[in-house]
Amino acid sequence: MTTAKTPKAPPDFTLPDPPKSQDEKMTASKHLSLTGGAHFLAQHLGNPETTIVGADLYLIPVPTTELTSMAGAVYPDLLVAFDADPALYYAQNGYVISEQGKPPDFVLEVASPSTGRRDTVEKRIRYAELRIPEYWRFDETGQYHGVRLAGDRLVDGRYEPIEIDQLPDGSLQGHSPILNVNLRWINGRLGWYDPDTGEHIATMESEREARIQAEARVQELETQLRQLRGE
C-alpha cells in the first residue's frame, strides 16, 4: 500500500500567493473550479496521500532562501505530481522541486486575455527548463493561444507537440499518457475523459445518476420478488 511521505522537518519558509490578475482568476475558475474539474480529476487519479492536484500556487526549483528574487517563478492553473508530498506542498504554499525531489508530472494553463503570449512562449520554455514531462494549454475560443487545445511532451529536454484529433461532433481531443486521460475541448468547455470507456470521468452529476439508477433497479427487483411471492 502506498503511504504518504513524511517531511524531514517543518518547512522554514512559506511562498507568497501569486499576483494573479482578475481575468486570470476568472478564466481558471470557470474551467477548473466552478465545474469541479480539478476535484473530479483528483478523485479519478486517486492516492491523495501521494498525489498533488493543485492550482494557483508558485512552482519554483529551489527554496526562496536560495533565490535572489521571484523572477522567473511560475504559477500553473493546474499542477499534478505523483509520488509527491501534498502536506509539504500546502505547508510551503507552493511546489518546490528540490524539496519534493522531482518536478511535477503535468501542468495546464487556461488562456485569458492577459496570458496568451506567456502561456504559449515564455511558460513553454520555462516548463521545459524545469523538466516537466507534459504541458497542456486550453483556450475557450482559441483567440489567446491561437489554438483551442494543445499539449506537449518532453523529449530529450525539449517539448514536442502531442497529437490533437477533431472528433465527429466537432470537439478536440488529445491523450495525456502521464495521466492516462483524454483532455477534450467541447463546446468551449474543458473535459476529462476515460480513454478505456470513452466516457467523462466521474462527476457529481454522473455519480448521482448512477445512484438513482441503482435505486431504481433495487426497487424493480423488489417488485419482481413480491410478484413471485404472490404478494
Side-chain angles (χ1 to χ4, degrees):
M1 180 177 66
T2 303
T3 57
K5 293 184 176 182
T6 302
K8 296 179 181 178
D12 55 4
F13 70 94
T14 302
L15 292 166
D17 292 332
K20 296 199 98 176
S21 67
Q22 189 62 30
D23 70 276
E24 287 180 90
K25 293 178 182 178
M26 290 178 62
T27 52
S29 176
K30 177 180 179 181
H31 294 288
L32 294 172
S33 300
L34 295 180
T35 63
H39 169 74
F40 294 117
L41 178 63
Q43 297 295 309
H44 179 76
L45 296 176
N47 297 323
E49 297 86 1
T50 58
T51 300
I52 298 172
V53 180
D56 298 332
L57 297 179
Y58 274 120
L59 163 61
I60 59 176
V62 295
T64 51
T65 53
E66 301 176 29
L67 292 174
T68 57
S69 74
M70 293 299 289
V74 284
Y75 39 94
D77 289 325
L78 183 67
L79 171 155
V80 178
F82 300 111
D83 193 26
D85 188 340
L88 183 61
Y89 172 72
Y90 291 109
Q92 293 183 326
N93 200 40
Y95 196 99
V96 185
I97 293 175
S98 64
E99 299 282 290
Q100 293 284 351
K102 60 184 288 292
D105 297 279
F106 174 104
V107 293
L108 177 140
E109 298 288 1
V110 178
S112 70
S114 63
T115 65
R117 176 176 170 78
R118 291 209 312 270
D119 292 346
T120 57
V121 179
E122 297 166 17
K123 286 190 176 181
R124 192 171 185 267
I125 294 171
R126 184 58 176 154
Y127 289 142
E129 291 174 343
L130 295 175
R131 304 194 66 78
I132 295 172
E134 282 188 16
Y135 173 37
W136 285 81
R137 296 169 297 288
F138 174 84
D139 187 338
E140 180 178 356
T141 66
Q143 180 179 357
Y144 306 111
H145 286 168
V147 293
R148 294 170 174 173
L149 181 67
D152 290 303
R153 66 168 58 90
L154 196 67
V155 178
D156 296 328
R158 300 182 65 179
Y159 278 137
E160 293 186 357
I162 292 173
E163 183 177 358
I164 304 297
D165 298 317
Q166 182 166 354
L167 304 184
D169 63 0
S171 61
L172 303 173
Q173 178 172 281
H175 179 69
S176 165
I178 289 289
L179 303 186
N180 191 31
V181 298
N182 291 336
L183 284 77
R184 190 177 296 182
W185 180 101
I186 178 167
N187 297 324
R189 303 294 293 272
L190 174 63
W192 309 88
Y193 286 76
D194 187 324
D196 295 326
T197 65
E199 300 294 328
H200 199 289
I201 63 173
T203 64
M204 186 179 299
E205 290 77 13
S206 66
E207 290 176 350
R208 181 169 59 243
E209 181 62 26
R211 287 196 300 271
I212 291 172
Q213 292 179 1
E215 291 169 0
R217 180 58 178 162
V218 169
Q219 292 177 356
E220 179 184 351
L221 291 174
E222 289 176 348
T223 299
Q224 293 175 354
L225 183 59
R226 287 195 296 269
Q227 290 175 343
L228 288 172
R229 291 173 177 173
E231 298 177 3

